[in-house]
Amino acid sequence: SGKCVMITGASRGIGAAAAREFAKAGANVVLVARSEESVADLAGEIGAQALAVPCDVSRYWEVEAAVRVSVETFGRLDAVIGNAGVIEPISLLAGSDPEGWGHAIDINLKGVYHGMRAAMPVMTGQGGGTIITISSGAAHGPVEAWSHYCASKAGAAMLTRCADKEGRDHGIRAMGLSPGTVATQMQREIKSSGINPVSRLDWSDHIPPEWVATALMWMCGPAGDAHLGEELSLRDEDWRRQL
Ligand code: NJP
């Protein structure tokens, strides 16, 4: 309680569920996403513990400003959850749009880098902090029509390991969380593509975003660091039982 957690992609889905969960536990939460109205509405629902910061994570200066206003408002920054992500445009590589392919890299990979770059000096000055990247099974194996997404998530997973290595001497730990299939807007987009086996999964195979929020809470606590390898995967049945 009293800690400050910045969550990117907080306008809906996993990010919004995490914001509610952290606030319930007494943390101050900074809600980052492009949809101004959605983050403002969620901040209104949570109350004085929440700050809405409309921001496009693919633009470094906007992310830096979000970190600055977090510290100005709540006095510190204990954790950054790099959750903002996109999967569109879903397309086989050979027919993909060369202009659009890099969109996922700008958000899912560079956006995560931007959060680390802006937060790590602040965390170093404070004596430590936690950085969590929302990863994916797609970081570790190819999925057809998701080359942009797989490449961005694989890059973000390695980036997170680099941040952890460099952060250790400053009390900063960085970890990945691979959530499995979660019932959110992103899964609606995947289903409407109908292009690979993932798009044909039944909704009953999906976990609610609140489970991911519970795992994030655990990871931000002291046990998360001690028990974690390089990435926590919620596909693991043992974990699903605990959640
Ligand atoms: O998806 P969705 P999830 N700047 O679409 C925001 C990963 N994941 O909750 O900007 C700032 O409901 C967007 O807000 P807005 C996935 O890759 C999921 O499922 O207002 N924010 C919204 O709040 C992603 O990294 C599954 O449009 C930006 C949020 O991102 C994370 O989980 C499986 C932005 C997306 O919410 C959350 O996704 C898996 C930008 N430029 C990994 N662009 C799954 N759902 O099954 C987007 O393995 N956002």
Side-chain angles (χ1 to χ4, degrees), residues 9-15 32-35 55-58 83-86 107 134-137 149 153 178-182 184-187 189:
S11 62
R12 58 175 188 261
I14 294 169
V32 168
R34 292 166 304 180
S35 327
C55 159
D56 183 336
V57 297
S58 68
N83 165 76
V86 292
I107 297 171
I134 303 298
S135 186
S136 170
Y149 185 75
K153 290 292 185 181
S178 180
T181 42
V182 190
T184 66
Q185 166 73 26
M186 184 174 282
Q187 284 292 339
E189 291 165 13

Side-chain angles (χ1 to χ4, degrees), residues 50 55 129-130 164 175 207:
C55 159
T130 301
D164 191 58
M175 304 172 258
I207 62 170

Side-chain angles (χ1 to χ4, degrees), residues 110-124:
K110 284 179 75 179
V112 167
Y113 159 74
H114 291 156
M116 292 171 176
R117 171 63 184 87
M120 284 177 81
V122 173
M123 289 177 171
T124 298

Side-chain angles (χ1 to χ4, degrees), residues 4-182:
C4 173
V5 182
M6 182 169 112
I7 302 165
T8 71
S11 62
R12 58 175 188 261
I14 294 169
R20 290 189 177 96
E21 201 69 23
F22 277 94
K24 225 189 291 167
N28 296 309
V29 288
V30 181
L31 315 175
V32 168
R34 292 166 304 180
S35 327
E36 199 165 341
E37 208 178 307
S38 304
V39 281
D41 285 352
L42 182 56
E45 174 199 315
I46 292 173
Q49 276 169 258
L51 174 71
V53 185
C55 159
D56 183 336
V57 297
S58 68
R59 300 189 186 132
Y60 177 68
W61 299 111
E62 292 189 16
V63 177
E64 197 188 79
V67 166
R68 196 169 44 235
V69 74
S70 305
V71 176
E72 280 165 11
T73 307
F74 296 120
R76 51 188 297 110
L77 181 61
D78 297 284
V80 172
I81 301 180
N83 165 76
V86 292
I87 196 153
E88 296 287 2
I90 295 172
S91 165
L92 294 174
L93 201 158
S96 59
D97 170 15
E99 300 295 323
W101 192 89
H103 183 59
I105 302 288
D106 289 342
I107 297 171
N108 304 358
L109 174 55
K110 284 179 75 179
V112 167
Y113 159 74
H114 291 156
M116 292 171 176
R117 171 63 184 87
M120 284 177 81
V122 173
M123 289 177 171
T124 298
Q126 267 176 198
T130 301
I131 293 170
I132 299 179
T133 303
I134 303 298
S135 186
S136 170
H140 307 290
V143 184
E144 59 190 315
W146 289 10
S147 64
H148 59 317
Y149 185 75
C150 293
S152 70
K153 290 292 185 181
M158 181 52 79
L159 174 67
T160 304
R161 293 176 64 186
C162 292
D164 191 58
K165 199 172 189 70
E166 292 187 18
R168 285 282 152 163
D169 288 344
H170 306 285
I172 299 169
R173 57 201 183 128
M175 304 172 258
L177 170 66
S178 180
T181 42
V182 190

